[in-house]
Amino acid sequence: MLADSILEGLNPEQRRAVETTEGPLLVLAGAGSGKTRVLTSRIAYLIGACGIPAESILGVTFTNKAAGEMRERVEKLLGPSAGGLWLSTFHSMCVRILRRDIGALERARGFVIYDDADSLGICKQVLKRHRLDPRQYDPKKLRWRIDEWKNQGLLPAAAAAQASDIDDELSAELYGTYQRLLFDANALDFGDLLLQTVELFKRAPQVLAHYQRRWQYILVDEYQDTNRVQYDLVRLLGDAHGNLCVVGDPDQSVYAWRGADIRNILDFEKDYPRAKSIKLERNYRSTQPILSGATAVVQNNLGRKKKNMFTEREGGDLIHFFEAQDEREEASFVIGHILHGTRNEDKSLGDYAILYRTNSQSRAFEEELLKYDLPYTVVGGVRFYERAEIKDILCYLRLLVNPDDAQALARIVNKPARGIGKTTLDRAYELSAEREISLRAALAAFASEGAAKRTANKIREFLDMMNDLERFAERPVDEAISETLERSGYMKALVSEDNPDAEVRIDNLRELVSSAEDFHSVNAEVQDEDRTELELYLDQVALISDLDNYEHKPQSVSLMTAHSAKGLEYATVFLVGMEEGVFPHASSSYDEERLEEERRLCYVGMTRAMEKLFMTCARERRRFGSHSYQSPSRFLREVPEELMQVQSSAARGRSPRRERPVRRSREDRLDRTYTQESYDEGDGVRPGMRVRHSVFGVGSIEAVVGDGLNQKLKIKFDRAGIKTVMVRYANLEPA
DNA sequence: GACGCCGGGTTTTTT
DNA sequence: ACCCGGCGTC
């Protein structure tokens, strides 16, 4: 009875994916094939039809939003019997496990979670300890390398063993120091959350056994985006019973740069010989031209698992293509179309999404939207919890929970200014390294030993204040925040600044307090046996992404990167900035594997559209403050001509300067290669040309080196001599 | 120790 | 064009 209602409306493949409950199962779910529906129905089926207790089921996703949506849909199918079901991201799952069991690794349970900025700060500290010049050894690169290792499941010793050259050996050594500093601060970074959980399972079999017993059925969403550690986690948890269902689409694997290994999904059947596999190839989302166009693009990837997507949504518009003169015209074309649709075609703003390759591209569209007073929502970019003032207060809170948090301490010790500056902090760092004590202890030691009386008093005052604040660690989180704002003098300092910028920040802090009030009222009843509300709050804040807060508003245009758009759908999608160097991104242009990932990303972007898909490019674009000229993206050429419709220039909202009124055919438009990075449209840079540089004055080009984004010019300046400049940055004019 | 100027890097995507 | 960190000055 219940089983019937759960299975109702599923197509035969979906049904099979739901009913095949035992053993390993691979569900290859193409874009728009009802993947989430299958996952939620499957969970509901396990509980409602098979009688599996909800607490025996683990569902893992990549975003909190996806987890939340799934929970909602399962509850809709089953009602409250879904309580006890674990649905979470890999990261929050690991936090929960570690909070309970990290003691088995001889670590304290009160650890804090370090975000990217904190990690980078630690990297800088590492370089300092090794007396390396951060200009010579880039802390960002170190951060990147460490993250790579962590994604592969390698701790410092293993990394050192694998290091192939002297450079990498040094990095591995620095990685060791990095881990040491994290340990001293009782902190874990994002990568650690996963890696230490694997470590825990390996070193404490009884802990692993506990979770293996608990979770009899495991489901993993977006399996194509799992990295090595996530693979290991799934493997460890699932091996006991083998009831592992993974769902994914190799064509939508777009996170290799974050360590995702597409082989995890491609090799699933090898890894789990008993595995069954089901393909979901019926697309419920897009019209025929959109699906065919997207498929045609992604088919250019080699070594791809064959999939035959089909849709019954025959007819519909062809894919629209528009080539703008520059990014402003591109924006005005897009917004013009939206205005037309909402005024004349009964569309609402929520039907539209603007998708781009990089966050920085949102700007032109935002300006245009503002011009017409159209509400819009930007996903990504600067996150609320990363804004300086928010982060400052969160660092205070972190210190209430974990006094050893060195990053947090360093950040706020002089915010607001209280006379404890760089010199003092440096001394504290040195003491901390010498005596192997926490930064806070070192600061206290400095106050009673080396510091001048004035400084010593200021340090003591600060430490007393912090000790006093600690009483609020057990209080409701909104109280803790309000008290912190007062006692620290942070609010007072902002108020006395008395400028518009400070006002914005005050508003943000008020928003923080009110969101904390919400958190408090929601969590008031949910008493965790041994975690304070503040601790729970900090965990949540650390793991929340901008996307998680995104809600699709019916009266607001959505703007986001193609990455962020994965899993979402819109009636009309504008996939903008379709130019070589932008999409595919320049940094991926010379590597076949990375190009294929760009192509998959393009596929993801295109398949977000249900009814209308616009792909646009601009001939000219301002980047880094200077002009650049790009040719249309190769991906545009990969869309079959008969599926594409060129938007005529008559559709343009305003009249651009059009030096050539000649109507070119589509092929002409797409095949035309513009001279990249020239300073005057259409003309290439050639030796002998006279140019003007804003700093060096007039000179003549001696040589042209390379092309594309990295093109350099050797110029003999009349007064400044011979210089090599990057065209991209030089802002040259003809002279 | 605080403030202000200069120079360099920046724009790949994020849990 | 913009932001941030570093360095010099007060």
Side-chain angles (χ1 to χ4, degrees), chain A residues 387-389 391-392 395 406-415:
Chain A
R387 285 179 207 179
E389 63 278 12
K391 186 103 200 265
D392 288 342
C395 281
Q407 272 307 111
L409 183 65
R411 185 179 173 107
I412 57 92
V413 69
N414 206 29
K415 271 180 198 160

Side-chain angles (χ1 to χ4, degrees), chain A residues 33-77:
Chain A
S33 63
K35 178 191 70 162
T36 309
R37 179 152 188 213
V38 164
L39 276 169
T40 51
S41 303
R42 187 182 162 89
I43 294 170
Y45 186 84
L46 282 166
I47 300 171
C50 307
I52 308 294
E55 58 268 24
S56 301
I57 301 170
L58 169 69
V60 194
T61 63
F62 272 81
T63 65
N64 293 295
K65 189 181 168 60
E69 267 169 19
M70 268 206 240
R71 173 175 299 280
E72 224 168 81
R73 285 166 75 165
V74 172
E75 277 169 6
K76 207 178 251 173
L77 286 167

Side-chain angles (χ1 to χ4, degrees), chain A residues 246-371:
Chain A
V246 304
V247 183
D249 179 3
D251 285 338
Q252 294 186 64
S253 159
V254 291
Y255 285 104
W257 54 274
R258 217 172 66 189
D261 192 341
I262 193 168
R263 282 174 304 177
N264 288 349
I265 192 164
L266 295 178
D267 292 346
F268 185 80
E269 287 156 296
K270 264 184 240 158
D271 292 335
Y272 297 86
R274 294 190 299 126
K276 297 190 178 111
S277 108
I278 295 170
K279 284 184 184 176
L280 305 180
E281 296 177 312
R282 187 200 200 95
N283 175 298
Y284 291 92
R285 180 184 297 147
S286 311
T287 59
Q288 188 67 59
I290 294 170
L291 184 64
S292 301
T295 307
V297 170
V298 84
Q299 262 168 0
N300 290 294
N301 281 353
L302 307 166
R304 160 178 181 271
K305 224 171 192 168
K306 253 242 164 68
K307 201 151 68 337
N308 299 303
M309 296 299 292
F310 63 96
T311 175
E312 274 161 24
R313 303 192 58 190
E314 302 281 343
D317 285 16
L318 296 179
I319 297 170
H320 301 271
F321 167 65
F322 177 72
E323 181 192 41
Q325 179 61 34
D326 55 27
E327 77 265 37
R328 288 184 54 207
E329 199 199 354
E330 185 183 39
S332 96
F333 169 79
V334 169
I335 307 319
H337 188 88
I338 294 174
L339 279 171
H340 180 83
T342 49
R343 284 175 187 165
N344 309 325
E345 290 172 14
D346 204 27
K347 296 272 168 51
S348 47
L349 294 172
D351 292 331
Y352 298 97
I354 303 170
L355 309 183
Y356 35 75
R357 177 65 180 84
T358 65
N359 280 308
S360 60
Q361 287 168 259
S362 72
R363 194 166 164 160
F365 297 96
E366 289 187 66
E367 280 170 6
E368 196 71 11
L369 285 158
L370 283 170
K371 202 155 98 188

Side-chain angles (χ1 to χ4, degrees), chain A residues 545-646:
Chain A
S545 76
D546 199 48
L547 191 59
D548 295 328
N549 289 325
Y550 168 72
E551 50 172 324
H552 187 176
K553 296 195 205 95
Q555 287 312 325
S556 180
V557 180
S558 296
L559 284 77
M560 69 190 86
T561 62
H563 277 95
S564 293
K566 192 146 72 100
L568 306 175
E569 60 180 24
Y570 299 89
T572 299
V573 165
F574 298 93
L575 195 52
V576 301
M578 295 303 299
E579 296 130 48
E580 285 295 307
V582 178
F583 202 168
H585 195 268
S587 58
S588 302
S589 296
Y590 302 101
D591 180 304
E592 202 45 47
E593 270 184 37
R594 296 175 71 174
L595 250 173
E596 294 207 344
E597 178 149 316
E598 297 280 325
R599 191 174 278 115
R600 290 191 293 268
L601 186 59
C602 181
Y603 173 78
V604 168
M606 293 175 77
T607 51
R608 298 310 97 196
M610 297 191 275
E611 272 135 41
K612 286 187 185 182
L613 171 62
F614 289 80
M615 298 175 86
T616 66
C617 64
R619 299 176 57 187
E620 176 185 350
R621 190 175 288 279
R622 279 185 87 82
R623 284 178 105 185
F624 309 112
S626 65
H627 299 274
S628 81
Y629 295 81
Q630 309 290 145
S631 50
S633 169
R634 70 191 74 193
F635 300 148
L636 289 167
R637 246 172 292 140
E638 294 172 1
V639 179
E641 187 173 2
E642 64 275 15
L643 295 177
M644 229 192 207
Q645 169 184 342
V646 177

Side-chain angles (χ1 to χ4, degrees), chain A residues 10 14 47 93 99 104 126 186 214 232 260 295 308 327 344 367 394 444 453 485 508 574 641 649 679 704:
Chain A
L10 296 179
Q14 292 176 326
I47 300 171
M93 171 184 86
R99 288 288 180 208
V126 168
N186 196 14
R214 171 172 179 157
D232 287 343
T295 307
N308 299 303
E327 77 265 37
N344 309 325
E367 280 170 6
L394 291 178
K453 207 173 215 167
L485 284 169
N508 285 337
F574 298 93
E641 187 173 2
S649 38
Y679 53 87
V704 181

Side-chain angles (χ1 to χ4, degrees), chain A residues 398-684:
Chain A
R398 274 160 52 174
L399 282 165
L400 303 192
V401 171
N402 171 18
D404 293 335
D405 188 337
Q407 272 307 111
L409 183 65
R411 185 179 173 107
I412 57 92
V413 69
N414 206 29
K415 271 180 198 160
R418 47 171 78 92
I420 306 174
K422 196 174 168 303
T423 320
T424 307
L425 198 57
D426 275 347
R427 278 298 294 140
Y429 269 127
E430 279 165 32
L431 276 178
S432 151
E434 267 167 39
R435 305 188 187 174
E436 300 192 351
I437 52 178
S438 75
L439 188 61
R440 185 164 180 159
L443 201 58
F446 181 52
S448 50
E449 295 169 36
K453 207 173 215 167
R454 234 168 74 102
T455 308
N457 283 336
K458 285 174 172 169
I459 294 174
R460 281 199 200 99
E461 224 171 280
F462 167 74
L463 291 175
D464 286 347
M465 189 259 301
M466 292 307 293
N467 286 336
D468 211 35
L469 266 180
E470 265 160 40
R471 291 180 297 129
F472 287 85
E474 314 273 317
R475 305 286 307 154
V477 60
D478 52 303
E479 268 182 48
I481 294 176
S482 304
E483 196 63 22
T484 300
L485 284 169
E486 287 312 310
R487 298 289 296 275
S488 65
Y490 197 96
M491 196 47 121
K492 200 176 161 204
L494 264 186
V495 171
S496 68
E497 264 189 48
D498 193 31
N499 62 42
D501 185 55
E503 265 168 47
V504 172
R505 281 186 280 161
I506 291 170
D507 282 346
N508 285 337
L509 288 170
R510 294 222 172 92
E511 201 180 323
L512 180 72
V513 174
S514 66
S515 78
E517 279 167 10
D518 290 345
F519 183 88
H520 170 64
S521 56
V522 171
N523 279 267
E525 296 113 68
V526 194
Q527 284 299 330
D528 195 295
E529 59 276 21
D530 48 19
R531 311 231 49 229
T532 65
E533 184 182 306
L534 181 57
E535 289 173 315
L536 292 170
Y537 175 77
L538 289 173
D539 278 357
Q540 196 212 285
V541 163
L543 296 177
I544 207 129
S545 76
D546 199 48
L547 191 59
D548 295 328
N549 289 325
Y550 168 72
E551 50 172 324
H552 187 176
K553 296 195 205 95
Q555 287 312 325
S556 180
V557 180
S558 296
L559 284 77
M560 69 190 86
T561 62
H563 277 95
S564 293
K566 192 146 72 100
L568 306 175
E569 60 180 24
Y570 299 89
T572 299
V573 165
F574 298 93
L575 195 52
V576 301
M578 295 303 299
E579 296 130 48
E580 285 295 307
V582 178
F583 202 168
H585 195 268
S587 58
S588 302
S589 296
Y590 302 101
D591 180 304
E592 202 45 47
E593 270 184 37
R594 296 175 71 174
L595 250 173
E596 294 207 344
E597 178 149 316
E598 297 280 325
R599 191 174 278 115
R600 290 191 293 268
L601 186 59
C602 181
Y603 173 78
V604 168
M606 293 175 77
T607 51
R608 298 310 97 196
M610 297 191 275
E611 272 135 41
K612 286 187 185 182
L613 171 62
F614 289 80
M615 298 175 86
T616 66
C617 64
R619 299 176 57 187
E620 176 185 350
R621 190 175 288 279
R622 279 185 87 82
R623 284 178 105 185
F624 309 112
S626 65
H627 299 274
S628 81
Y629 295 81
Q630 309 290 145
S631 50
S633 169
R634 70 191 74 193
F635 300 148
L636 289 167
R637 246 172 292 140
E638 294 172 1
V639 179
E641 187 173 2
E642 64 275 15
L643 295 177
M644 229 192 207
Q645 169 184 342
V646 177
Q647 289 301 102
S648 71
S649 38
R652 295 179 185 194
R654 62 195 168 81
S655 168
R657 60 188 174 97
R658 234 174 303 146
E659 75 300 341
R660 240 170 279 169
V662 189
R663 285 281 302 261
R664 283 176 280 122
S665 73
R666 169 186 174 275
E667 279 309 308
D668 260 4
R669 283 163 182 259
L670 294 186
D671 278 340
R672 174 166 179 194
T673 342
Y674 301 108
T675 312
Q676 302 190 340
E677 311 300 335
S678 68
Y679 53 87
D680 190 24
E681 176 186 316
D683 292 321

